[in-house]
Amino acid sequence: MATKDEILAKLANAVVTYKEADAMAGVKEALEMGIPPVDIVTRGLSVGIRTVGERYGQGKVAIPFVMLAAKIMDKATKEALSKVPADQMPKPLATMVIGTVEGDIHDLGSNIVSAVFSASGFKVYNLGHDVSPDTFIKKAEEVGADMIGASALMTNTLQQQKILGDKLAKQGLREKYIYLVGGGAFPGAEWCEEIGADGFATDVTIGLEVAKKCVAERKKQTN
Amino acid sequence: MINMTQKERLVSALMNKPVDKTPVVSVTQTGTLELMNAANAYWPAAHRDAKLMADLALAAHTIAGLEAVRLPFGLTGEAASMGCRVNYHEDKNDFTPTVECGFQSYDNLPMPSPNEGLMGTIMAAVGICRERLGCDVPIIVGVTGPFTLAGHIRGVNDILTDVILDPDLVNKILETTWRISANFAGALVKKGVDVVAFIEPTASIIGPDFFKAYALPYLKKAAASVSAPTVLHICGDSLPIMEMMVETGVSGISIDQKVSAIAAKSAIRGRCSLVGNIDPVAVLQMKGDQGVEEASIRLLSEGVSVLAPGCGISPYTRTSQIAAMVKARNKYFEHRI
């Protein structure tokens, strides 16, 4: 009989090798063995998606593979956590509302960020694509988010990141949230400064570092 | 060299032939809020009304000074004509339209005529532009590339995993989409379009291996069917696929602002012309005239064949900033004489 560590390694490997059937079978086996569902996710599946994310960051795998790994991770995670009461879920590093800005249908970047951030201890509410500033803000307020992430993949839609930042400021909410921006079309630091965001990234692994740094700074300020 | 007409200049530059000076155009969208005001032609109406589309497209030439008229302003003509639902973002004049959903079945995909639906509207707008411009100003039309169109009708997220899980389905869809791209491009040339710009953003995110399998063969066929100069525009870092972009057989390669023009030129090795690549937001929208001039002159000295934005112009770009590209080019060539 496989040990707990072997099962967890098998789960990570199923994500890294893009094998959905293996991931689902692994979850079932792990649950039957009595491995805590949270461990199945944090010490098994999450290890796999983080590995895929790192390989993508190093240019070793293409986006379709990251998308596939993220889909498998999502399905297996839902299965593993389906019977865990909300009050037994571990406290997240931070809660994030993420989406692709209004007018932009390209949500693959925010989906990848969502998967990798979830696997790294963040509680993520992924709003998908074509998300209006009001929807971002409403959801962030509703779930008590710490962070809002807005992605844009087109030069035509980058302005929406500024519109969201301005709207947050106008409503007196700008300081309440860590505001992170990114996406394939992101022009760089000057744009980040122009829109008054707290940080930016065009790559998920860098994005994760930026987010963790912002959260740590925020915690330092509030302590 | 004697002064060339704008059409002669662009066509020669794209075919890597001598020019009197480097043309300044955009092979990507040109609609801005200022130009909408100036032309009294606003989005979303100008996305689907031939006269308004022509009015706004012409404004980028007559008012901003670009040396070609480029239309349309979005990438939805082919998908809309196939029957996909399009979101025009009603009541908002700063959004390009987006394709919302495609088909339930991919067995008998429609093959619309280039005169149908939104493709027909673009064709009509080309006719209006040609009538108003005469023969000396070139018209560029952006045609959705086969893989991007396949992404529209299947859904981008789905087709990205289909390339791994269901290659047959991807090829089945591409067998239809390349024909639609090619038929539309052919009809546009007959209508008087001088340059067809294949816009293939979705192919930029699949990586070199999948590009070779799914984008290259169909782009090759589409480009081969066009009897006018062609440009292939791919967003993002296209250097890893540059060799295959050359292999498509297009006349010119349009690079995103993320790509070094020097590196692209070195990779292309004179086999195609190079179009690009002023940063549409970080420079064209955000920098003043001086910033646009510096970026333009740098690119001209790096040897771009056609000076152009690296991607679609942001609707928030000032007209004076677009005009600054042309001024910079004039200054550059004055100093060279």
Side-chain angles (χ1 to χ4, degrees), chain A residues 105-123:
Chain A
I105 56 163
H106 305 89
D107 60 4
L108 57 133
S110 47
N111 289 341
I112 291 168
V113 169
S114 180
V116 173
F117 275 46
S118 297
S120 305
F122 288 80
K123 171 75 182 165

Side-chain angles (χ1 to χ4, degrees), chain A residues 13 34 40-41 47 50 58-59 62 64 82-83 96 107 116 127 137 143 153 166 178 180-181 186-187 195 198 213:
Chain A
N13 192 51
I40 292 174
V41 177
V47 176
R50 283 201 298 270
Q58 293 159 357
S82 60
K83 293 185 180 69
M96 181 185 207
D107 60 4
V116 173
L127 305 180
I137 294 169
V143 302
L153 260 82
D166 290 348
I178 295 165
L180 299 181
V181 285
F186 200 81
I195 64 180
D198 295 301
K213 197 176 155 204

Side-chain angles (χ1 to χ4, degrees), chain A residues 64 71 102 107 155 159-160 184, chain B residues 92 95 157 160 258 285 312:
Chain A
K71 269 188 184 178
E102 190 167 14
D107 60 4
T155 50
Q159 190 73 18
Q160 298 307 315
Chain B
K92 291 182 176 168
F95 286 165
N157 291 343
L160 287 178
K258 287 190 172 64
Q285 180 181 339

Side-chain angles (χ1 to χ4, degrees), chain A residues 60-80:
Chain A
K60 289 179 181 168
V61 296
I63 282 180
F65 290 107
V66 186
M67 296 285 292
L68 186 55
K71 269 188 184 178
I72 294 167
M73 164 87 192
D74 187 51
K75 192 172 174 186
T77 299
K78 278 182 183 144
E79 177 67 19

